Amino acid sequence: MRDVADESGAFPPLDRLLPVLRPVRAGNGFEEALEQILQVVRLGLVPEGGRLPPERELAERLGISRVTLREVLKVLQEQGVVEARRGRYGGTFVLPRTAPADGEELRRRAARTDMEDVLLFREVLETGAAGLCAGRGLDEGGAARLRTALIATHEAPLPEYRRIDTLFHLTLAELSGSPSLSARYAAVRAAVNDLLDCIPLLVRNLEHAQRQHTALVEAVLDGDEEAARAVMREHCAGTAALLRGFLA
């Protein structure tokens, strides 16, 4: 018996999805929910043409609001992963997978990258840099540079966002006071950007990232090393969730 929605309006049993769907962490609810639903689709737990469980059940299982879930589903619709249909037998249906021709080279490049190693190394370097900046403290010039880099990310036009976001993170690494850390971060960030080029810019995710950037700068300038590390760790986890969702 197929788990595809039919004229009876049946949905795939939620228990089949339980190994993938789990309550998300509060800090990255949108990103982790997106990651999990993409995993459901890519693992074939809901086949092409199949219907996702009702919004109420999905939201309860993921531990998020229905508003957040609808934002996740909207992104998946915009990316051609699912389709919303109205009517008696409506719902959210999985579309056939297609790969854009102009994205093939980017995906080949991503396939040559050990994504998990890159993401882990990035987290180690970024949390280390954040902790060093907060623990050592920044002089007036360093604090001004960090604030300026933060403001630039808030003012960046969408096509320029990733470049300016990169500069923000490179500034933090440089201000850590370790030239070795700064050099290694520049290399790992290049690998991260290769991966990010393979996925879409999501406005909801960027808004969330901006709030995390702001909290990070506040923690650094307050000299709160523990908070700076925690915010950066959560920030890296959000990006990792998106990359795994789209590319894993």
Side-chain angles (χ1 to χ4, degrees), residues 32-127:
E32 292 186 14
L34 182 62
E35 175 191 21
Q36 291 187 42
I37 295 176
L38 279 166
Q39 286 177 337
V40 163
V41 173
R42 297 225 161 116
L43 288 171
L45 298 179
V46 179
E48 293 178 2
R51 179 163 50 177
L52 294 176
E55 287 184 5
R56 176 182 56 79
E57 293 182 19
L58 275 178
E60 288 178 359
R61 177 62 188 167
L62 293 166
I64 58 177
S65 70
R66 292 180 71 172
V67 171
T68 296
L69 177 62
R70 285 168 185 158
E71 291 177 340
V72 168
L73 295 177
K74 183 175 184 293
V75 166
L76 295 177
Q77 289 178 57
E78 291 170 348
Q79 299 307 313
V81 177
V82 300
E83 176 184 58
R85 301 177 192 167
R86 297 178 178 273
R88 181 180 177 186
Y89 303 117
T92 303
F93 292 80
V94 176
L95 293 174
R97 291 185 63 180
T98 58
D102 60 356
E104 287 302 322
E105 176 55 34
L106 289 173
R107 291 185 180 278
R108 280 194 291 270
R109 190 192 312 167
R112 295 193 294 266
T113 301
D114 186 339
M115 184 170 69
E116 291 302 324
D117 181 59
V118 167
L119 295 176
L120 178 60
F121 194 36
R122 181 223 177 169
E123 180 180 329
V124 169
L125 292 177
E126 293 250 36
T127 55

